[in-house]
Structure formats: C-alpha cells, structure tokens
Amino acid sequence: MMMNTIRGAIIAAACCAGVTQGYAQESVNFVSWGGSTQDAQKEAWATPFTGKTGIKVIQDGPTDYGKLKAMVESGNVQWDIVDVEVDFAYRAAKEGLLEPLDFSIIDKSNIDPRFVSDYGIGSFYFSFVLAYNMGKISGQPAGWSALFDTETFPGKRALYKWPSPGVIELALLADGVSESDLYPLDLDRAFKKLDTIKKDIIWWGGGAQSQQLLASGEVSMGQFWNGRMFALQEDGIPVGVSWEQNLVMSDFLVIPKGAKNKDAAMKFLAYSTSAQGQADFAELTAFSPINKESDSMISEDLMAFMPTTYADDQVSLDYKYWAEHGPDIAKSWNEWLLK
Amino acid sequence: MLLSQGSMGWKLKSSLYVITGAIAAFLALPIFFIVALSFGSSRWLVFPPPKWTLKWYEKFFENPQWIDSAMTSLQVALLTSVIATLIALPASFALVRGKFKGRDYLYSLFTLPMIVPVVIIAVAVYGVFLNLGLTGTLFAFVVSHVIVALPFAVISIINSLRLFDKSIEDAAVICGAHRLQAIFKVTFPSIKPGIFAGALFAFLVSWDEVVISVMMASPELQTLPVKMWSTLRQDLTPVIAVASTLLIFLSLIIMVMAGLARRYSNR
Amino acid sequence: MYMTLSRKKWREGTLLIPILLFLCVFFLIPLAGLLLRSLTEPSFGLQNFEQLLATSTYVQVLSNTFLVATLVTVISLVLGFPLAWCITLMPNGWGRWLLGVILLSMWTSLLARTYSWLVLLQTSGVINKTLMAIGIIDEPITMVHNLTGVIIGMSYIMIPFVVLPLQACMSAIDPMVLQAASICGAPARTVFFRIFLPLCKPGLFSGALMVFVMSLGYYVTPALLGGVENMMLPEFIVQQIQTFLNWGLASASAALLIILTIVMFYFYLKVQTDSPVSTNTGA
C-alpha cells in the first residue's frame, strides 16, 4: 500500500518532469541592445519566465532596425521579441512591420498609458538628464540652458547622435520655448541654438560610449540616459545629475510581423510588463517601470535615482510626432550636421 | 648608393634611420599599449591605471561566449582558407596557362570582391541569405568569407605561377610523365609558397572579418570579431583588451611558425 | 602538350567553372539584386538618385569620403616609403625586425587596433598626457571622434599595404643603376628624385591605388574613431538601412560608390600596361 503510493508519486513526478521537458522545447528569441541593459532583462525577465513556463528564452542582438525590416520582408523572421526605441515602434507599426499585441494575454490595466500602443508595450522608461563630471565643472549646472553656457561651465558636451527625440527638444527648451509650445518642432530655431556649441559637441552612439566619455573627462557634461549615470555613480565616479527638465523616453517591446513563436512571445510580454518583472528590472538598472504597481515594490534608496521620483520636472516627448515626421527631421538633421 | 648602406652619406643615413624608427614605434605603439591596457584595473580605460590586475582575464575565461566564438572563428577561417584555395587554384592555372581572349577581364572579375566596398557585399549577401533562411549558419559564414578571401588567394597563386618556368613541367612530360602527374609532382611543389601564402591570406581575411560577420551572426553562432564588435559598441569593457592581447599572441605564434616553416622548406 | 586546340580550351573552361559558378551565385547575383533595389524602391524610377543628388548631405558625404581617402593615401605613402627603403637597405638585421613589426600590426585584429587608438587618442589619453608633460601643448587636443582620429586610425591600418608592394619593387631595383648615376657625378638629391623615385613608381602606384580604393569603402574605423560630421559613404549606407529602413536610397548610394571605384580601377588598368596574368614578364 505504502509502496504503491510511493510508486504512484514517482510515476507522477516523472510524468510532470516529462511534461515540463516537453515545454522546454518551446523557445522565444529575445532581442535587445546588449550590454548591461540586456543582462538585466535576462535576469529580471527571461530567467524567471523560463522557470515559470518552461519556455526557453534565447538572447540575441543587438537590435538592428534594418535587419528587422529585412526579416519581415523576406518572411523568414528569426526574432520574436525586439526591444526598440519608442518612436521606431510607432513608425514600424505604420509600415506594417509589427504584430498587433494580444491584450487578452497581456494585462495593460496598470500600464502607464504613455507607454502602450496597439503594436508595442513599454520595456522600461528613462530620462535624458543633464549630467556632469564634478572633477571638470565647479558649481551645479541645472536645466538644459547650462549645456549651452560654455563660459560658466567649460568643456566638451556629449549629445546623443541619432536624429531621434531628445536633442532638438532640449535645444528648444534651452532657447526658452515652453514645454507646451514644443510641438510642432521649430527645427531652424533648434539648429541655430545648437550651432552655438556645435564645435564643442561630441556625439555618442551608445550607452557605453557615453559613460566612457563622461567618466574619462573627455566631456565635462552632456545629455545622458539616467540609468547609465546611475551605474557610473555606483562605480564611484564623481558624476552629478540635474533632473530639471528631464526628457522622458522609453523603449518598447514589439513582435515583428510573422514571428515564429508569437504566442510564447505574448506570454513573455505579459511577464516582462508585470509588476514584478518591471520592479526587478528597475532594481537592476535604475530605469523606471512602466507598470504603476511596481513603484511600491522598489527600494527607497534606488528611488532617488529614478525618473519616477522627478515626475514634476518631466518633459514628455511626443513620440507619435516623431514617428510621423522622423524621416523628414532626419533629412534636415543630416544636412545641418554635415554642413 | 641609395640602396647600399655602405655608400650612403651618414647624414642621409642617420635621418632615414631616425624617421623609420619613429614610424616603426607608431606601428608598434597600439599593440604594446593594448597589452598593457588588459592588465589595468580601470573599468573606464583610464591610463595609467590605478592598479594592475588579472580580473579581466578571469572575466574573459569565465564567459563561454568568448571561447565559443573563438572556436567558431577558427572553424570558419580554416574552411574559408581551404575552399578559397581549392577554387582559386584551377582558375589561376586557366588564367596563366590559357591563351584565350578576355583573360584580363576575368582577372578583374575575380578580384572584384576586393574592390567592391565590403559594406555593400555584406548587405547584398545578407538580403539573399535571409530569404533562404541561411543566416546564422556555418555555411553562410564560410560562403560569405570565401567571397572576400578569394581575390587574395587568386592574386597570390597567379603571381607565383607566372614566375614558374613552364618548360620544367614540359620537360617532365617529355620524359614520359602524364601532364597531371607533372603538375602534381613538379609544378605544385615549386609554387607551394604562393599557394601557402594565398591560403594564409584567406585565413587572415576570414579571421578578421567584421562587417559581413555581424550580418551573418546569430546568438548561437558568432565569430570572435562579432563578439568584439558588439562588446565595443555596448560595454566597452577591458575584456576586449584581453581578447586583443590573446589574439596578438596568437598572431606572434603563427608568424614564428610560418617563419620556421619557410626556413625548413628552404633547406 | 599535343592536345588539339579545342580540347585545350575545353579543359581551361572546366578549370574556370568552380570560380565562375561561385562568384555568380554568391556574389554577382546578390549584388545585382541589391543595385536593382535602387531603381525599384519604393517605386520604379530614378527617384532615389534624384533625391541623393538633390540634398547637400550626399554631396558632403561623398566629399568627406574622398577627402579621407586622399589624405590617408598620401600619409600612408609618405610614412611607408622610408620603412620600405630601410627594409630594402637592411634585408637581414634590423630590416627583418621592421618587417616583423609591420606584419604583426597587419595580423593583429583590426578591432583590437582601432580600440587601442580610441584609448590612446582620447583627451585624457596617454598621448595627450605625454605631450602635455613634455610641454608641447598646454591644453589637451581632441584627436578622436573627429577627422584627426579617422586619419590616424586609417593610415595606421593602411601603411602595411603600401610598404609590402613598395618593398618588393625596391628590392627589384639594381643598385648598380644608382651607383652608375652617382659615379657620373650626380648628387644624392638628383639620384633620388631623377632615378630612385621613378624606379619605385610601380610600387608606389599599386600601393596607393590599393589604399585609396580600400579607404573609399572602409566602415569599421570611421564608425569607431570618427565624429558624426565626418560621415563617410559606407556609414551613410549603413545608416540608411539600419536607422531609416531606406533600402532604395542605400542601394543608390552603393551603386554610385561602386561605379566610382570601378572607374578608378579601369584607369589604373589602362595606365598599367603590364598584363596581370601573362607569364614571364617579371614580378
């Protein structure tokens, strides 16, 4: 009798093991930008997700919009979930490159409405902040106008090099345009303002480069992602951050049209945007959660480094405007840059 | 007098030596520097570093991706080298020995992949391979590398074949050898250095290829330059310096071996 | 040897099959496919080429590309010449070491070398610190993320491609020719400019062409060491594809770059009378 129960339990356990193993065959390809961000995404989302569902998450990257488009066009889509910039998410949706999300699987009731659309849902949100190397600058610069004040705060400036939301807006804000009048963007005015420091600008293309520029003193201040500055401060580098007029940007998670593991991808998105997933990710990176439930789960020490805390100083960028006018802005941008 | 040391004026000679020394230092500088950098403790590439450390070496060997990608690179480069040489060898014979018209044009065609910017080749091949579902396979890596390695193999083999006196081979045939026998027994051994150099060049081209490889890579299959490129772009950690240092030592070993092989074969 | 003409031709044809097949399937067809996109995307016509030539961006990128390629070629020639000369002068002792340094630098991973320059050249880098310590400069100079960085990094990579052909050419020169000139009373300067340099011309020429053509299509070094305002054509093409998803415009600029390169090569072949494949014409 006793033996039978034990045997039954063993058989049941074996069956369960067999079942989970069966699930383990299922997998999704997760694509992000690499580096510490993707490491955090792996730790906060992929590992617990695999533990919970048995679906294996294969990490790929870095995100490459050209590759994404080529895959969709060829019909051979190897990526299931892609971390993209928010303006690209809107643009790609318009070009028909994305699968609509299934909100019966993904719960969007607690998601900040700024960070969800029919074709994409926030990965995290962050701010462009003004940060400076305290070894190179005396005083406390605040607000974007300090960036253009090379007399008081000498040294080179680091700005984000892609024609995407951020640089144009901060130039206009520094030039005295009020937040409510930002859009439609007055490009000529922005370029004119940028012209005043053009020779002092060093353009950065990725997070690691931006950190290296500021940490080594190559630049004295600039426009940076808040999470990357947090990492520098953790490392003991004397970096000051001004949250005044911090510009809110976000990354979206999208599913390319024709993705092979669409259902598993939806389940992954449901987990990554859950309160727990978002809170875990925030703890690792100091990027803010897009799930409103997560805020209470984050330690107080960390909150000091998070955009959420500086909500009053936030300037929200108009991603839809950028999705619409991005290519035209890029054209004038390139023309100005190479002049 | 400008080509023998003895008869050169000392002024000219010493200034030439000083200039050359400076240029040689310029060439050696980054190589020595990166070795030093790999032992520095600073995460943000401050030099000279606050401390010396081996921690980046630990990180390198802890991460299986580095070793895996190095093995993939080796595999791809060896296959590329063999295939490029096997394709280039008969073609070189046809071009040098043949008397047909348009040989110069064919030569230009074979060296075209060297002239077309590699970015363009990468994008073009990527588009096709993606459609065929071949990206991320060993096949894709090898084929795309053979394209760019081929010109180096062709040029090197053709150059040595041109210098080889065909009448020696003909003599072997007259003495009763079959033509193929003569080629294998007489011609190949004497153009061996050219074939070897071609294969080596093909290997190096593949081993160091970045742009095409980035396109062909998948998470499961990437070569060392792909891993380095993405690390450079995303992390910028001194682990790259470790990888570079190990690569430099590998190059040194290959160079010494190639030198020894040459000395041995000359004997 | 006693084969009939037709059989011999047939044999040469077979020898060429593998390479022709390979290049057609994996190189020419994909390339043609890409270039065709410049005419078909987003719709059939020449609009991509019109758009390219209409904006100042493309013209600027093109002139950047040629500027960099020219500067790099000139610098590599100037720096490569004394190196090749020294190696020829001392084929055994120090010359062998020089050759070793060149080969080592050539065989070291391209990314490793570029990365090293990135750190060496930065404002807080070793070079700036040294220059300031000796007192040559007071303020650090910006040498990376701009044209200077690209030129230094690329010349560094290209020097071996000048030295190797140049050295081969120099070692083929008969020293007696130069000896004869000086015995006849020509001063060293005259011998150098009137005899030595002209004799080196084939080597200089092929080295320069190689470097120039390679520089036109270079991507990695400018992407890592350059600034945005010095964008070159390869980076422009990648940007069009990766950021703007504009394959049509990218293909059109690729087509123009290929045409420019091939035209240059054609002129090279015209100038260089020696056939590259015929036998017994010397190295």
Side-chain angles (χ1 to χ4, degrees):
Chain A
M1 178 66 191
M2 185 66 179
M3 281 307 286
N4 271 347
T5 335
I6 294 173
R7 194 186 293 161
I10 291 172
I11 292 169
C15 285
C16 285
V19 169
T20 33
Q21 226 168 25
Y23 273 123
Q25 304 299 320
E26 207 177 342
S27 68
V28 284
N29 268 325
F30 177 81
V31 179
S32 185
W33 301 91
S36 50
T37 310
Q38 190 161 358
D39 289 344
Q41 287 170 326
K42 189 175 165 188
E43 195 179 330
W45 302 339
T47 312
F49 175 72
T50 308
K52 233 174 111 182
T53 60
I55 300 172
K56 210 174 137 202
V57 181
I58 299 162
Q59 302 286 327
D60 197 354
T63 300
D64 180 329
Y65 301 150
K67 256 188 174 179
L68 189 147
K69 181 173 174 171
M71 279 184 192
V72 174
E73 280 179 353
S74 74
N76 175 28
V77 181
Q78 293 160 326
W79 291 349
D80 298 312
I81 305 149
V82 189
D83 188 304
V84 300
E85 287 162 297
V86 54
D87 54 313
F88 178 81
Y90 281 103
R91 192 147 53 94
K94 216 173 59 183
E95 287 196 32
L97 299 175
L98 304 178
E99 289 284 351
L101 299 187
D102 182 350
F103 290 107
S104 65
I105 300 177
I106 304 161
D107 175 17
K108 67 170 173 178
S109 57
N110 289 316
I111 309 290
D112 186 328
R114 286 182 293 176
F115 308 122
V116 60
S117 77
D118 291 347
Y119 292 88
I121 188 158
S123 173
F124 53 87
Y125 89 85
F126 57 95
S127 285
F128 276 123
V129 292
L130 179 78
Y132 48 94
N133 186 324
M134 293 195 275
K136 296 272 164 186
I137 275 181
S138 50
Q140 285 194 330
W144 294 116
S145 53
L147 193 75
F148 293 84
D149 184 357
T150 42
E151 299 247 314
T152 325
F153 308 110
K156 299 266 178 195
R157 305 295 196 247
L159 295 180
Y160 189 43
K161 88 171 182 186
W162 304 112
S164 73
V167 178
I168 305 280
E169 282 89 345
L170 73 85
L172 290 172
L173 287 169
D175 205 30
V177 177
S178 73
E179 192 191 332
S180 51
D181 297 333
L182 271 180
Y183 301 93
L185 295 169
D186 184 346
L187 290 180
D188 292 334
R189 184 166 175 182
F191 290 146
K192 217 167 161 187
K193 184 71 180 172
L194 285 166
D195 272 332
T196 61
I197 54 162
K198 195 173 177 186
K199 62 174 190 351
D200 295 315
I201 300 175
I202 294 178
W203 302 95
W204 55 270
Q209 193 194 355
S210 76
Q211 287 171 305
Q212 205 265 335
L213 285 174
L214 191 64
S216 67
E218 187 87 7
V219 300
S220 62
M221 66 161 75
Q223 162 210 21
F224 299 99
W225 293 328
N226 71 286
R228 293 287 185 159
M229 293 303 104
F230 170 70
L232 281 186
Q233 287 168 329
E234 288 277 275
D235 237 32
I237 310 279
V239 169
V241 173
S242 152
W243 287 90
E244 209 174 304
Q245 298 173 321
N246 71 78
L247 306 172
V248 177
M249 260 300 275
S250 71
D251 266 23
F252 267 33
L253 295 173
V254 298
I255 302 178
K257 197 175 202 92
K260 286 177 187 138
N261 306 296
K262 204 171 82 180
D263 294 338
M266 296 290 175
K267 283 183 209 151
F268 182 90
L269 291 191
Y271 185 83
S272 73
T273 55
S274 69
Q276 187 65 48
Q278 284 290 307
D280 289 346
F281 179 77
E283 288 281 352
L284 294 169
T285 57
F287 286 131
S288 274
I290 49 111
N291 190 315
K292 288 187 243 168
E293 299 274 280
S294 307
D295 291 353
S296 58
M297 302 162 74
I298 293 167
S299 63
E300 253 175 56
D301 302 348
L302 187 63
M303 280 309 264
F305 298 98
M306 302 257 274
T308 327
T309 312
Y310 306 92
D312 295 344
D313 296 320
Q314 277 177 8
V315 176
S316 273
L317 304 172
D318 190 341
Y319 320 126
K320 282 177 204 155
Y321 178 87
W322 273 91
E324 189 131 339
H325 301 281
D328 294 329
I329 298 174
K331 217 179 278 170
S332 345
W333 167 277
N334 266 342
E335 227 162 292
W336 167 75
L337 206 55
L338 292 164
K339 203 159 51 187
Chain B
M1 52 161 269
L2 290 174
L3 278 171
S4 72
Q5 284 184 75
S7 52
M8 255 168 105
W10 71 270
K11 242 191 203 160
L12 178 66
K13 204 156 80 179
S14 50
S15 51
L16 178 64
Y17 288 178
V18 168
I19 293 170
T20 312
I23 301 169
F26 171 68
L27 285 175
L29 177 68
I31 297 172
F32 287 117
F33 180 70
I34 201 145
V35 176
L37 202 64
S38 71
F39 295 105
S41 65
S42 167
R43 168 80 176 78
W44 304 107
L45 313 176
V46 176
F47 201 89
K51 272 193 303 220
W52 300 96
T53 171
L54 282 173
K55 71 175 169 188
W56 308 118
Y57 283 83
E58 278 166 34
K59 287 230 162 108
F60 178 89
F61 288 107
E62 265 169 22
N63 187 344
Q65 274 191 334
W66 286 104
I67 310 292
D68 287 351
S69 57
M71 293 316 288
T72 311
S73 273
L74 190 65
Q75 208 179 352
V76 171
L78 283 176
L79 282 170
T80 301
S81 162
V82 169
I83 294 173
T85 312
L86 286 181
I87 297 180
L89 198 55
S92 307
F93 262 86
L95 281 195
V96 175
R97 297 285 176 81
K99 292 277 172 281
F100 55 94
K101 270 186 187 160
R103 284 178 303 146
D104 286 352
Y105 289 102
L106 275 180
Y107 180 80
S108 308
L109 173 69
F110 298 162
T111 50
L112 195 61
M114 200 168 75
I115 299 158
V116 174
V118 73
V119 167
I120 296 173
I121 299 180
V123 171
V125 175
Y126 174 69
V128 173
F129 279 9
L130 193 68
N131 271 312
L132 301 174
L134 287 172
T135 51
T137 60
L138 192 65
F139 177 84
F141 271 109
V142 173
V143 165
S144 57
H145 284 193
V146 169
I147 297 171
V148 282
L150 208 47
F152 291 91
V154 169
I155 290 174
S156 167
I157 297 175
I158 281 187
N159 279 345
S160 61
L161 204 54
R162 277 174 65 191
L163 294 177
F164 172 73
D165 190 350
K166 187 171 177 275
S167 50
I168 300 173
E169 186 185 306
D170 293 339
V173 173
I174 290 168
C175 291
H178 187 262
R179 174 62 69 179
L180 274 178
Q181 215 175 352
I183 288 178
F184 276 97
K185 287 266 169 71
V186 179
T187 314
F188 278 2
S190 28
I191 61 164
K192 210 171 62 189
I195 300 177
F196 183 70
L200 192 64
F201 265 121
F203 181 92
L204 282 176
V205 167
S206 161
W207 179 253
D208 207 18
E209 215 302 313
V210 189
V211 182
I212 298 179
S213 305
V214 167
M215 295 270 177
M216 297 300 150
S218 77
E220 291 93 13
L221 198 69
Q222 52 180 340
T223 57
L224 197 53
V226 175
K227 177 69 187 152
M228 287 179 76
W229 173 253
S230 58
T231 310
L232 254 180
R233 283 259 150 144
Q234 305 302 331
D235 276 342
L236 218 69
T237 95
V239 177
I240 303 165
V242 172
S244 308
T245 305
L246 297 176
L247 282 177
I248 291 168
F249 276 103
L250 191 72
S251 307
L252 268 177
I253 291 170
I254 296 179
M255 272 173 67
V256 170
M257 272 169 41
L260 287 180
R262 198 180 309 134
R263 197 170 292 177
Y264 178 77
S265 66
N266 281 353
R267 205 167 278 167
Chain C
M1 221 198 161
Y2 303 107
M3 267 184 274
T4 63
L5 198 65
S6 66
R7 253 188 82 193
K8 194 159 181 217
K9 254 189 186 153
W10 179 83
R11 195 188 68 183
E12 275 148 10
T14 355
L15 290 176
L16 286 169
I17 287 176
I19 197 167
L20 287 175
L21 206 63
F22 182 89
L23 283 178
C24 268
V25 173
F26 295 116
F27 176 62
L28 293 178
I29 294 177
L31 196 62
L34 177 78
L35 298 183
L36 209 61
R37 292 185 90 157
S38 65
L39 297 172
T40 56
E41 260 181 50
S43 58
F44 188 80
L46 285 171
Q47 78 271 32
N48 285 313
F49 291 92
E50 278 162 18
Q51 201 187 330
L52 269 187
L53 300 173
T55 60
S56 66
T57 313
Y58 184 74
V59 179
Q60 191 60 47
V61 167
L62 204 61
S63 69
N64 278 347
T65 313
F66 273 84
L67 175 72
V68 169
T70 312
L71 282 174
V72 167
T73 309
V74 170
I75 292 173
S76 320
L77 283 181
V78 169
L79 297 184
F81 192 88
L83 271 183
W85 194 1
C86 264
I87 296 171
T88 320
L89 273 175
M90 308 176 283
N92 290 317
W94 282 99
R96 189 171 287 175
W97 280 100
L98 280 177
L99 201 62
V101 169
I102 290 166
L103 289 179
L104 183 63
S105 104
M106 211 170 142
W107 286 13
T108 300
S109 153
L110 168 69
L111 284 172
R113 286 179 286 164
T114 310
Y115 170 74
S116 189
W117 277 119
L118 189 67
V119 186
L120 275 169
L121 291 175
Q122 62 184 344
T123 319
S124 53
V126 181
I127 291 179
N128 262 315
K129 276 187 185 155
T130 314
L131 290 178
M132 272 157 72
I134 331 175
I136 296 180
I137 51 171
D138 301 324
E139 288 263 299
I141 28 178
T142 321
M143 290 183 287
V144 76
H145 305 301
N146 60 14
L147 193 64
T148 320
V150 180
I151 300 289
I152 293 177
M154 279 180 66
S155 307
Y156 174 79
I157 286 160
M158 298 300 175
I159 286 175
F161 294 97
V162 170
V163 174
L164 296 182
L166 193 56
Q167 197 267 328
C169 172
M170 280 181 182
S171 56
I173 297 173
D174 186 353
M176 294 318 269
V177 178
L178 305 182
Q179 199 73 41
S182 64
I183 289 171
C184 293
R189 179 197 276 275
T190 317
V191 179
F192 180 84
F193 283 106
R194 299 290 294 276
I195 298 169
F196 187 40
L197 214 50
L199 282 173
C200 295
K201 218 169 70 184
L204 282 171
F205 203 63
S206 61
L209 183 90
M210 182 94 177
V211 170
F212 192 83
V213 167
M214 279 172 74
S215 302
L216 284 183
Y218 230 63
Y219 173 69
V220 170
T221 310
L224 290 174
L225 295 180
V228 188
E229 56 281 8
N230 320 107
M231 197 187 333
M232 289 168 65
L233 207 45
E235 216 184 341
F236 180 80
I237 294 172
V238 171
Q239 196 198 42
Q240 286 305 321
I241 289 176
Q242 287 191 342
T243 315
F244 306 129
L245 310 181
N246 198 336
W247 284 78
L249 208 59
S251 309
S253 24
L256 285 183
L257 182 55
I258 291 182
I259 290 167
L260 281 172
T261 321
I262 289 178
V263 165
M264 292 205 37
F265 226 76
Y266 177 76
F267 278 114
Y268 167 72
L269 290 179
K270 278 246 143 159
V271 176
Q272 194 203 35
T273 43
D274 181 19
S275 158
V277 287
S278 57
T279 33
N280 302 328
T281 44

